[in-house]
Amino acid sequence: MLKNYFKIAFRNLIKNKVYSFINIFGLAIGMAATILIGLWVADELTYDDHFSNKATIAQVFQSQTMNNNIGTSPAIPRPLEFALRQDYADNFKHIVMASWEQPRYLKYGETNIYRKGNAMQEGAPDLLDLEIIAGVKNGLKEKNAIMLSESAAKSLFGNVTALGKIITVNNEHELEITAIYKDIPINNSFNEMEYIIPWKHYVTTQEWLERSKESWDNNSFQLFVQINENITMDAVTSKIINVKKKASPTTAEFNPQLFLLPMKDWYLRSDFENGLQSGGRIENVWLFGIIGLFVLLLACINFVNLSTARSEKRATEVGIRKAIGSQRGQLIFQFLSESFLIVILSFIVALGIVLLFLNGFNNLASKAIVFPWSNFQFWLLSIVFIVVTAFLAGSYPALYLSSFNPVTVLKGTFKAGRFASLPRKVLVVAQFTISAALIIGTLVVMNQIQFSKDRPVGYNKNGLIQIPVMSNQFIGKKDLLREQFIASGGAIEMAGTSGPMTEVWSNRSGYTWEGKPAGFQEDLAFTSVSYEFVETLGLNVTEGRGFSREFATDSNAVILNETAVKYMGIKNPIGKYIRDSDTEDPSPPLKIVGVVEDMIIQSPYSAVKQAMYVFDSDANVAYYNVRLNPKKSTSQNLILIENVFKKNFPNTPFDYQFVDEEYGAKFKSEERIASLARVFTALAIFISCLGLFGLASFVAEQRTKEIGVRKVLGASISQLWLLLSKDFITLVVIALLIASPVAYYIMGQWLQKFSYRTTVSWDVFAIACFGALIITLITVSFQAIKAATSNPVKSLRTE
């Protein structure tokens, strides 16, 4: 019997080639999209699964209250490590202090590379579960040691053994390679860490690091821990929550609260709002998971619509089977078997589509997903996926077709009822409601990105490069380099800064000024800069002036941005003083010499942070910001600047970044989401139109005689086109009326997470509605015009 069912199913597929193609290809597209999204979701959910001890690893975070606003950050003070080791050691298997990831120059012989890495304590290799290829796992035990990733070692030494070799770091420190570890997978929080230097070496490289041992105010470090098996994260958090507040009375006014953020939340749930977890990338996982289900649902709707639409052609078959004794359950099983066959064929085609487009999908999503051929769970889920899809797509047609009355059918009096087409119309409306909502959502996301891109950044980022100089070899060389860069003709100005112009590296508090409100707790973005800062960046000075070599007092000067002036409540700021309230080490007061227009340094989607720019001659310079000569090409300028750089630092690679590109990178995450949304929205529209095409074809076929009669009576092609198209247009209009308010509400809520945001404007709905109607007309018109231009004599003779 089962063989008979599949034989009939196969014959039906061959007999109705167009409808079979639409069913199989439509389902295949939907299944392929769902598989790709499923692989993407799995990659997101398994982030950091490289660590076998993931469940016990955490990072110490702290929340602090400033002016009734709670800010949360992983930046912690160095003394916290000593407090945890002394009083809470029995809760931890590992306590590991770490610096922030930082690029350094690694040199061996004539080979010099620039790689990112960390300084970490001895327990890091065990905590991070590093796979050691050569050397020892405790490779950070010695002060003058370094551990390299496999790729970094290959870049430096090729196929020569790297273990035991001495390399120079930042052209200053000679360190011995004590271990080579396997590259950390890309879907890992430490995937860019290509070297680790010992913590005991790092803390001796700069004077401020030595002073940080006793400073609870200096939140410049990271602390990773692995808790013992017999205790929970919450239990440890409850013990350490007030450690900083008790140890440092000066910080108590900020009510610092320490807690452990488990590794499972680092990637997906790392956003905080007013001290509480507020989501993160997990929102995108939910978003695309839902889109995947919708796309599959649209493909299943096509199957249901076309199966029920062609029910009259299967009525005689059902009647005969019932007349010779088939039970309804057997008929249901037969039609589900047909559905199962179609889904299997669709799944095979879907796998081909996935394999064909997986590389492109990886490029689009910035992933390195590999098809899981050997993954038993994937194939088990695929079987479940096939069965569920077969039931989802085939249940209604099976129940509907098996319900026909055999007497009515065999008498030849069977006709679908006047409401038989209602379920199909509802499903078409559902299809286009989903598609229209996706179109509107995608347009809003694109508008938000463009709105933020068009936002004035407050400085001229074009023609500006930044050169990292985080090495002692550059100290005292800034003015010399500036003169030579300008003299070469490759630059017109240069300024040194303590951080890049696309990030805030330091935040400061503990200042006093005239008119400061009682109890006010300031939080200021802090950057030390050289004299030429305003001119190099092209900042607009709204009050006062920039720093100048003509004023000796500028060594103790400060420039504020407009937001800082408002934030601090300073009226007529020029000439006013800002003082450090630290009485133990009082610094000279800072005189406000200028106010500049707000400059976007952090997220382009957020409000500009209050910032202070303090003069610094050279000691804290981390970047040279070079304004290229606009009269020469960029390539010419770079050659001239590189020649000067190499002349002064022959053993150091000339590394630089275009500031406009670094700023543009801030949009990458949202742009990836928008690109993925565009692709899956296009697929949703395509699948919907595929189903609409099939239905239009069926309706035209069903009304062949009516069209012939109307043509004989003088109906024009346009009248016949309108006759066949208006019902579908009506359904799409209803879908748009449903989708618009739903999309407006959902996207309005999504925009709320941005401080700087666009609105859901009427033109978005106009474009979406107009586009949906045009697509519908194009899809339906092909069959409508084909039917309207057919020979009426032939159609009437056929009847």
Side-chain angles (χ1 to χ4, degrees):
M1 185 62 73
L2 192 61
K3 180 181 178 182
N4 177 259
Y5 289 162
F6 280 108
K7 185 180 288 185
I8 291 171
F10 185 73
R11 286 173 178 171
N12 271 317
L13 290 178
I14 298 299
K15 182 181 178 182
N16 303 292
K17 294 182 178 63
V18 173
Y19 298 103
S20 299
F21 173 80
I22 291 173
N23 266 338
I24 292 172
F25 191 63
L27 265 179
I29 292 291
M31 295 177 85
T34 306
I35 291 170
L36 285 172
I37 290 174
L39 292 173
W40 182 87
V41 167
D43 190 78
E44 293 284 287
L45 294 177
T46 57
Y47 209 87
D48 285 326
D49 274 10
H50 164 77
F51 301 101
S52 60
N53 45 10
K54 176 180 177 179
T56 58
I57 297 177
Q59 184 172 9
V60 180
F61 273 57
Q62 69 167 322
S63 293
Q64 298 190 94
T65 304
M66 292 188 177
N67 305 315
N68 297 319
N69 292 316
I70 302 175
T72 302
S73 167
I76 56 96
R78 189 177 170 192
L80 179 61
E81 174 216 345
F82 309 124
L84 295 187
R85 291 189 190 279
Q86 179 177 327
D87 300 324
Y88 305 95
D90 57 338
N91 295 281
F92 302 103
K93 186 174 182 180
H94 292 292
I95 297 174
V96 177
M97 286 293 292
S99 66
W100 299 95
E101 197 169 79
Q102 179 181 329
R104 290 178 172 88
Y105 299 105
L106 309 178
K107 183 175 184 294
Y108 182 79
E110 298 300 315
T111 306
N112 206 334
I113 61 176
Y114 193 61
R115 294 291 187 272
K116 288 183 178 180
N118 272 25
M120 305 184 86
Q121 289 184 321
E122 290 179 34
D126 284 320
L127 181 140
L128 300 179
D129 203 19
L130 295 181
E131 185 179 340
I132 304 300
I133 298 172
V136 293
K137 198 157 192 175
N138 61 343
L140 302 176
K141 187 175 182 180
E142 300 300 324
K143 178 181 176 181
N144 293 318
I146 187 170
M147 298 177 70
L148 292 183
S149 70
E150 185 179 12
S151 58
K154 192 171 184 65
S155 297
L156 273 174
F157 299 97
N159 296 321
V160 178
T161 301
L163 198 65
K165 298 288 196 304
I166 306 295
I167 66 172
T168 306
V169 177
N170 276 351
N171 289 318
E172 301 173 76
H173 310 289
E174 293 189 342
L175 303 180
E176 180 183 352
I177 300 170
T178 54
I180 309 295
Y181 57 88
K182 193 171 183 64
D183 286 355
I184 298 172
I186 192 170
N187 63 334
N188 190 291
S189 297
F190 297 92
N191 65 77
E192 292 187 328
M193 189 172 69
E194 295 202 56
Y195 68 82
I196 312 175
I197 61 175
W199 181 256
K200 60 181 72 173
H201 170 80
Y202 171 69
V203 295
T204 62
T205 56
Q206 297 181 58
E207 184 182 344
W208 73 271
L209 287 167
E210 183 64 27
R211 295 197 307 268
S212 68
K213 284 195 298 185
E214 299 176 359
S215 175
W216 285 92
D217 297 321
N218 187 347
N219 299 301
S220 298
F221 308 95
Q222 298 185 89
L223 181 56
F224 300 97
V225 298
Q226 183 178 354
I227 63 173
N228 287 324
E229 301 288 346
N230 58 349
I231 196 167
T232 66
M233 297 281 182
D234 289 341
V236 176
T237 291
S238 66
K239 293 180 180 181
I240 70 171
I241 189 169
N242 291 317
V243 168
K244 180 178 177 180
K245 185 162 59 174
K246 291 177 180 177
S248 175
T250 58
T251 64
E253 61 177 316
F254 302 111
N255 189 30
Q257 304 278 302
L258 303 172
F259 65 94
L260 300 186
L261 185 70
M263 179 178 272
K264 66 181 178 64
D265 287 347
W266 291 0
Y267 182 74
L268 293 174
R269 299 175 181 85
S270 58
D271 290 353
F272 288 83
E273 188 173 340
N274 212 25
L276 300 174
Q277 271 183 299
S278 58
R281 289 183 178 90
I282 190 65
E283 295 169 4
N284 294 334
V285 172
W286 280 107
L287 171 66
F288 284 106
I290 292 169
I291 289 176
L293 291 176
F294 276 154
V295 171
L296 181 62
L297 180 63
L298 294 178
C300 291
I301 287 174
N302 281 352
F303 183 91
V304 172
N305 272 346
L306 292 178
S307 297
T308 55
R310 298 187 60 79
S311 58
E312 289 184 42
K313 294 185 178 294
R314 303 291 300 270
T316 304
E317 176 193 343
V318 172
I320 292 172
R321 283 186 176 274
K322 280 193 171 184
I324 62 176
S326 291
Q327 300 297 314
R328 189 181 183 195
Q330 292 175 306
L331 291 171
I332 290 173
F333 186 73
Q334 176 197 340
F335 292 123
L336 283 176
S337 299
E338 293 183 15
S339 171
F340 191 72
L341 176 62
I342 290 173
V343 171
I344 288 177
L345 293 173
S346 299
F347 182 75
I348 293 170
V349 175
L351 288 182
I353 294 171
V354 169
L355 293 172
L356 185 63
F357 291 102
L358 186 57
N359 286 337
F361 180 77
N362 277 331
N363 292 333
L364 188 67
S366 189
K367 290 284 186 183
I369 298 169
V370 178
F371 192 84
W373 290 109
S374 59
N375 189 316
F376 173 76
Q377 285 183 320
F378 171 78
W379 295 110
L380 183 63
L381 285 172
S382 295
I383 293 171
V384 174
F385 181 50
I386 289 169
V387 173
V388 170
T389 305
F391 274 98
L392 187 64
S395 294
Y396 179 73
L399 292 170
Y400 179 73
L401 292 171
S402 64
S403 67
F404 295 159
N405 187 322
V407 176
T408 306
V409 170
L410 295 176
K411 277 184 177 180
T413 58
F414 171 78
K415 290 289 180 185
R418 58 183 297 193
F419 297 110
S421 64
L422 183 60
R424 292 197 296 276
K425 291 179 178 179
V426 170
L427 291 175
V428 169
V429 169
Q431 272 191 317
F432 276 88
T433 298
I434 294 170
S435 298
L438 288 175
I439 293 172
I440 293 168
T442 302
L443 289 173
V444 171
V445 171
M446 292 168 61
N447 279 357
Q448 171 62 20
I449 294 171
Q450 193 58 49
F451 182 74
S452 298
K453 279 186 172 182
D454 293 340
R455 181 182 184 184
V457 295
Y459 67 102
N460 183 8
K461 63 182 185 298
N462 299 313
L464 185 67
I465 64 170
Q466 52 187 23
I467 305 171
V469 290
M470 289 166 281
S471 168
N472 290 338
Q473 66 178 321
F474 293 99
I475 294 178
K477 300 290 183 69
K478 178 183 66 64
D479 287 341
L480 173 65
L481 262 293
R482 173 180 171 269
E483 290 174 5
Q484 292 184 5
F485 282 157
I486 295 173
S488 73
I492 58 173
E493 193 53 274
M494 186 190 95
T497 57
S498 61
M501 289 300 95
T502 52
E503 295 179 47
V504 173
W505 274 14
S506 179
N507 294 281
R508 298 284 178 92
S509 60
Y511 293 101
T512 61
W513 59 89
E514 181 185 329
K516 179 180 180 179
F520 185 81
Q521 299 161 326
E522 74 280 2
D523 176 27
L524 299 166
F526 179 94
T527 307
S528 56
V529 303
S530 67
Y531 283 117
E532 304 81 13
F533 175 65
V534 170
E535 292 77 14
T536 301
L537 268 72
L539 293 172
N540 180 25
V541 180
T542 57
E543 292 185 63
R545 58 176 176 80
F547 297 117
S548 173
R549 297 175 186 271
E550 297 178 7
F551 297 91
T553 54
D554 274 7
S555 59
N556 292 312
V558 62
I559 293 173
L560 302 177
N561 69 354
E562 292 177 322
T563 293
V565 174
K566 296 173 186 174
Y567 172 79
M568 299 166 76
I570 303 176
K571 299 187 184 302
N572 303 316
I574 304 304
K576 301 284 179 66
Y577 286 89
I578 300 174
R579 292 176 171 82
D580 193 332
S581 59
D582 187 351
T583 55
E584 294 182 6
D585 183 24
S587 301
L590 300 173
K591 182 179 180 181
I592 303 172
V593 298
V595 177
V596 295
E597 194 174 282
D598 288 339
M599 180 169 62
I600 300 175
I601 297 179
Q602 292 178 290
S603 170
Y605 303 105
S606 302
V608 174
K609 187 170 184 180
Q610 50 279 1
M612 61 191 301
Y613 306 100
V614 178
F615 173 78
D616 190 310
S617 59
D618 204 8
N620 294 312
V621 169
Y623 281 90
Y624 292 158
N625 299 272
V626 182
R627 173 66 62 188
L628 301 180
N629 188 344
K631 295 181 180 179
K632 291 186 172 69
S633 69
T634 300
S635 58
Q636 285 179 305
N637 288 328
L638 291 175
I639 290 170
L640 293 170
I641 290 170
E642 182 176 9
N643 289 338
V644 172
F645 186 90
K646 283 293 187 183
K647 179 182 175 182
N648 288 274
F649 305 102
N651 297 319
T652 302
F654 176 59
D655 188 76
Y656 63 91
Q657 300 114 29
F658 286 99
V659 173
D660 59 344
E661 291 181 357
E662 293 296 302
Y663 180 78
K666 293 177 178 292
F667 299 94
K668 290 297 182 186
S669 178
E670 284 73 20
E671 284 179 335
R672 277 196 294 272
I673 297 301
S675 297
L676 289 171
R678 281 198 296 269
V679 169
F680 293 121
T681 298
L683 288 176
I685 295 167
F686 176 76
I687 291 169
S688 298
C689 290
L690 202 60
L692 204 61
F693 180 86
L695 280 178
S697 176
F698 171 74
V699 169
E701 180 185 335
Q702 196 178 39
R703 302 177 74 172
T704 301
K705 183 176 181 180
E706 178 190 348
I707 293 169
V709 171
R710 287 180 179 273
K711 285 197 73 173
V712 170
L713 294 176
S716 65
I717 291 176
S718 61
Q719 287 173 322
L720 293 172
W721 170 80
L722 183 61
L723 174 72
L724 294 172
S725 302
K726 65 180 181 181
D727 286 345
F728 292 108
I729 297 298
T730 301
L731 295 177
V732 172
V733 169
I734 293 171
L736 292 171
L737 292 175
I738 296 171
S740 296
V742 172
Y744 179 83
Y745 174 78
I746 292 173
M747 297 314 298
Q749 293 298 307
W750 178 77
L751 287 171
Q752 292 304 310
K753 72 177 185 177
F754 301 107
S755 300
Y756 187 82
R757 57 181 178 267
T758 186
T759 57
V760 187
S761 57
W762 67 269
D763 58 313
V764 168
F765 297 97
I767 293 170
C769 293
F770 181 74
L773 289 172
I774 292 297
I775 291 169
T776 303
L777 284 172
I778 292 172
T779 304
V780 174
S781 292
F782 176 81
Q783 290 294 350
I785 294 172
K786 180 182 176 183
T789 55
S790 62
N791 189 335
V793 175
K794 185 177 179 181
S795 61
L796 291 173
R797 183 182 296 155
T798 301
E799 289 293 325

